[in-house]
Amino acid sequence: MGRPPCCEKVGIKKGPWTPEEDILLVSYIQQHGPGNWRSVPTNTGLLRCSKSCRLRWTNYLRPGIKRGNFTPHEEGMIIHLQALLGNKWAAIASYLPQRTDNDIKNYWNTHLKKKLKSVLDHSTTSEFFSKGFFNDSSTRTLDFDSSSASCFYPNRSSTATPSSSSTYYSSAENISRLLEGWMRSSPKTNDNDNPFHFDEKQSHCGDSMVSNQYREMKTEQDENRVASMKEIESMVSPENLNNSKHNNLGASCENNNNNNNNNNPPLSFLEKWLLDDTCVQVVEMMPLSPTF
DNA sequence: AAGGATTACAACCGCCAAGTT
DNA sequence: AAACTTGGCGGTTGTAATCCT
């Protein structure tokens, strides 16, 4: 028996969402919280399938999503993580909580893959990482200047908001902001009573966000995430990397773990690596994903 | 100016795993 | 145990904007 469709195909609207549809969806989620997506189209009157509603919410409407340019640091993280994990966009996105997996995937496919390929065509992997992209290890700045930022945003102005729908882009962003305001003004009960508890954790900004997120993991889903992270860590543990004693990654990790006090869980190895500029060189030792 | 080519990204599709009945 | 539901994920497509000739 095949899997039934998530909804009747007849009468289902496809294509871009309108502001009106977004408002309907957001209003409903404000009242009922995200989840039970199957009932969303029925209860809201939206002529969309449940899956489309869920996707629209998770990728664009939920609070805490950052739009627009990827920072050099974000790009660096994506490149590192893609080399490590391959096309595991959800896993990569868990280290960039303000970005969606879809965003990261699109950015990789349209910008980074081409950029990396073109650079790799003209240098070795070592040269690429040591001299090319990461020409400044203190800030992990990517070498945009090789042909200026136009390499990454050939069709974009410097402000780089989606030009195709700038008006509506603002609308979606405003809906997100409204929701963030609503979240903040809502009385804090326990997490299970707050329909946005999972987003609230991710809506904090700043460098410590990933670490805080790790420390705050407490739901069952979070536990699964911790398990995944540990699995990733084991994959890149010093023991599993050749010549760990010559390996900045291993040494740095060891130091980081030693420096952690007992009151806080140790930072994730991978996290530390990503946040620790001294570890950048380790990428030279890692094979690039077969995606290239 | 026109129209074909290219680019960027939102949205969709199909598969899968886990949970529920 | 089997059937079914739900949500997550990665790959792919559709389309509007922009570039190029």
Side-chain angles (χ1 to χ4, degrees):
Chain A
M1 179 183 292
R3 184 178 173 230
C6 66
C7 48
E8 296 297 329
K9 297 286 183 188
V10 184
I12 289 300
K13 187 181 171 191
K14 288 186 176 183
W17 282 64
T18 65
E20 291 76 19
E21 287 176 312
D22 281 347
I23 288 168
L24 272 175
L25 180 58
V26 168
S27 305
Y28 178 82
I29 291 173
Q30 272 191 12
Q31 291 170 21
H32 300 92
N36 195 13
W37 294 107
R38 193 175 183 79
S39 66
V40 171
T42 318
N43 294 342
T44 58
L46 284 166
L47 299 175
R48 298 279 182 170
C49 81
S50 56
K51 202 170 186 176
S52 181
C53 294
R54 179 173 58 80
L55 230 52
R56 183 65 186 170
W57 170 257
T58 54
N59 283 340
Y60 298 97
L61 296 177
R62 72 177 162 86
I65 294 179
K66 182 177 165 187
R67 316 290 303 168
N69 278 353
F70 280 69
T71 66
H73 185 239
E74 285 175 319
E75 288 166 349
M77 285 181 76
I78 293 168
I79 292 166
H80 282 308
L81 287 164
Q82 204 281 339
L84 257 179
L85 307 173
N87 296 351
K88 302 293 179 189
W89 306 116
I92 292 170
S94 72
Y95 285 91
L96 296 157
Q98 292 179 294
R99 302 289 189 179
T100 68
D101 54 352
N102 205 38
D103 249 3
I104 293 170
K105 177 174 59 182
N106 280 333
Y107 193 69
W108 173 264
N109 285 333
T110 56
H111 295 90
L112 296 179
K113 197 158 80 173
K114 288 174 196 167
K115 176 70 176 178
L116 284 171
K117 189 177 187 311
S118 89
V119 173
L120 284 173
D121 282 347
H122 297 96
S123 66
T124 65
T125 305
S126 296
E127 287 167 350
F128 165 71
F129 281 108
S130 61
K131 299 172 187 171
F133 261 63
F134 300 105
N135 59 347
D136 176 359
S137 66
S138 66
T139 59
R140 207 177 253 148
T141 301
L142 302 181
D143 182 18
F144 292 146
D145 285 337
S146 57
S147 47
S148 102
S150 64
C151 230
F152 276 72
Y153 310 106
N155 295 331
R156 295 279 181 255
S157 66
S158 58
T159 53
T161 53
S163 54
S164 61
S165 54
S166 57
T167 306
Y168 185 48
Y169 165 80
S170 302
S171 303
E173 194 172 54
N174 288 340
I175 289 169
S176 252
R177 285 190 181 137
L178 281 172
L179 275 171
E180 281 180 327
W182 178 80
M183 282 163 52
R184 277 193 290 270
S185 63
S186 297
K188 176 76 179 176
T189 57
N190 67 54
D191 280 355
N192 292 332
D193 292 334
N194 181 353
F196 299 106
H197 62 92
F198 64 94
D199 286 322
E200 194 172 10
K201 281 191 297 192
Q202 297 188 351
S203 66
H204 303 296
C205 297
D207 289 339
S208 62
M209 178 170 56
V210 174
S211 301
N212 288 338
Q213 188 187 12
Y214 194 170
R215 291 193 184 96
E216 289 174 20
M217 287 175 171
K218 48 182 176 273
T219 66
E220 194 173 328
Q221 190 178 4
D222 288 339
E223 284 169 10
N224 292 336
R225 247 168 118 190
V226 170
S228 301
M229 285 176 160
K230 284 179 177 167
E231 191 180 345
I232 291 165
E233 288 169 23
S234 72
M235 286 163 56
V236 296
S237 69
E239 292 78 17
N240 289 338
L241 294 169
N242 294 331
N243 300 323
S244 63
K245 70 178 179 180
H246 300 303
N247 181 338
N248 287 339
L249 177 57
S252 175
C253 175
E254 206 171 352
N255 290 339
N256 287 332
N257 285 338
N258 290 341
N259 289 339
N260 282 316
N261 65 41
N262 293 330
N263 294 331
N264 291 323
L267 282 178
S268 146
F269 174 79
L270 187 52
E271 249 172 62
K272 277 288 182 187
W273 170 57
L274 289 166
L275 297 173
D276 185 352
D277 291 332
T278 65
C279 294
V280 168
Q281 292 173 12
V282 75
V283 179
E284 290 181 45
M285 303 176 61
M286 296 181 179
L288 285 172
S289 147
T291 311
F292 289 121

